[in-house]
């Protein structure tokens, strides 16, 4: 998941960027170690922990390495790959931890198509089909023509056939059923997604399941 809106990395970007030279010239070559799972190692998801070990985000390995090189975060777990440059050989992290505690606001994320699809995990909330983003649309549970708002609680991921079938009807009128009640995408939702991803990564598990 791209946890963008509250991505601590975003605000950290200013942190060490005055000199500008720190994270540069790093991504030269990656050699596979024993952690190869077919995924591009520099794009592999890295779990980001707060200084308190609380899981707060997921970022790409490339970003995680920059945070470590800037001294903003430290590696807690490695993913078995190495990153080589002229000057250094670096182990690619699987879990990093911020050195300074960041207050993570418990407010919800920005309402956007991308975040709705992320919340619903690209699953049509009527028929349950899992589809690429391009093949999904957003459905107003209570149609706009009937006063429905564009809100977290009234927007769901929907495939085109279901969207057509529902038309301007309420869910019950269309004889359809929602897989689950749409809710705002908050930290709880984010953690749920982290856990889903973390199931396939043993190194994440101890930070996510407690
Ligand atoms: Zn559908």
């Amino acid at each position: 998941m791209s946890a963008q809106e509250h991505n601590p990395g975003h605000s950290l970007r200013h942190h060490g960027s005055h000199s500008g030279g720190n994270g540069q010239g790093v991504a030269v070559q990656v050699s596979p170690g024993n952690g190869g799972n077919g995924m591009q190692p520099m794009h592999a998801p890295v779990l980001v922990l707060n200084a308190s070990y609380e899981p707060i985000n997921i970022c790409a390995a490339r970003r995680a390495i920059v945070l470590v090189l800037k001294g903003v975060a430290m590696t807690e777990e490695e993913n078995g790959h190495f990153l080589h440059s002229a000057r250094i050989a670096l182990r690619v992290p699987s879990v990093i931890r911020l050195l300074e505690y960041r207050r993570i606001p418990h407010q919800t994320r920005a309402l956007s198509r991308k975040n709705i699809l992320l919340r619903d995990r690209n699953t049509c909330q009527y028929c349950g089909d899992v589809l690429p983003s391009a093949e999904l649309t957003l459905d107003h549970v209570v149609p706009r023509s009937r006063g429905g708002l564009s809100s977290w609680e009234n927007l769901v991921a929907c495939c085109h056939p279901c969207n057509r079938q529902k038309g301007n009807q309420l869910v019950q009128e269309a004889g359809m059923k929602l897989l689950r009640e749409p809710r705002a995408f908050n930290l709880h939702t984010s953690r749920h997604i982290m856990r889903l991803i973390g199931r396939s990564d043993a190194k994440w598990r101890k930070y996510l399941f407690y």
Side-chain angles (χ1 to χ4, degrees):
M1 93 174 198
S2 55
Q4 290 297 334
E5 272 65 36
H6 292 308
N7 183 347
H10 263 276
S11 39
L12 291 168
R13 189 170 292 163
H14 306 283
H15 213 74
S17 62
H18 39 264
S19 66
N22 249 359
Q24 313 277 322
V26 175
V28 179
Q29 201 188 345
V30 178
S31 68
N34 53 10
N37 52 3
M39 193 183 283
Q40 271 277 17
M42 294 308 283
H43 298 165
V46 172
L47 182 65
V48 183
L49 306 174
N50 213 334
S52 58
Y53 287 92
E54 181 191 11
I56 51 171
N57 200 4
I58 293 170
C59 71
R62 181 184 301 278
R63 172 114 198 101
I65 286 171
V66 170
L67 292 178
V68 169
L69 289 177
K70 281 183 173 174
V72 170
M74 63 173 286
T75 299
E76 290 287 336
E77 306 283 344
E78 297 159 355
N79 80 358
H81 288 91
F82 281 90
L83 174 80
H84 297 288
S85 79
R87 286 171 297 167
I88 49 164
L90 198 73
R91 292 166 185 274
V92 179
S94 161
V95 178
I96 62 168
R97 184 168 63 89
L98 300 178
L99 295 179
E100 259 181 58
Y101 183 79
R102 305 232 140 215
R103 225 189 109 263
I104 307 297
H106 280 239
Q107 74 198 46
T108 54
R109 288 161 173 276
L111 180 68
S112 68
R113 172 186 154 82
K114 193 184 122 222
N115 280 339
I116 298 267
L117 296 185
L118 191 59
R119 179 198 64 187
D120 294 344
R121 273 168 268 132
N122 277 55
T123 307
C124 172
Q125 292 300 293
Y126 295 107
C127 70
D129 277 0
V130 179
L131 296 163
S133 302
E135 291 173 38
L136 285 166
T137 183
L138 296 187
D139 177 66
H140 285 80
V141 177
V142 176
R144 262 187 297 194
S145 60
R146 302 174 65 164
L149 302 173
S150 294
S151 66
W152 281 107
E153 293 78 13
N154 196 45
L155 282 169
V156 291
C158 182
C159 72
H160 289 286
C162 285
N163 194 239
R164 273 193 298 274
Q165 186 187 334
K166 184 161 169 290
N168 277 333
Q169 308 170 89
L170 298 174
V171 181
Q172 308 87 307
E173 292 172 353
M176 299 166 85
K177 208 167 169 260
L178 275 171
L179 293 184
R180 52 180 188 156
E181 282 301 309
R183 300 205 310 195
F185 192 177
N186 52 29
L187 193 67
H188 177 78
T189 320
S190 306
R191 196 157 297 158
H192 180 65
I193 291 170
M194 286 187 220
R195 285 186 175 136
L196 287 175
I197 298 176
R199 258 180 218 161
S200 63
D201 192 326
K203 289 179 175 164
W204 288 25
R205 239 169 254 152
K206 63 182 168 190
Y207 303 100
L208 290 171
F209 298 90
Y210 44 80

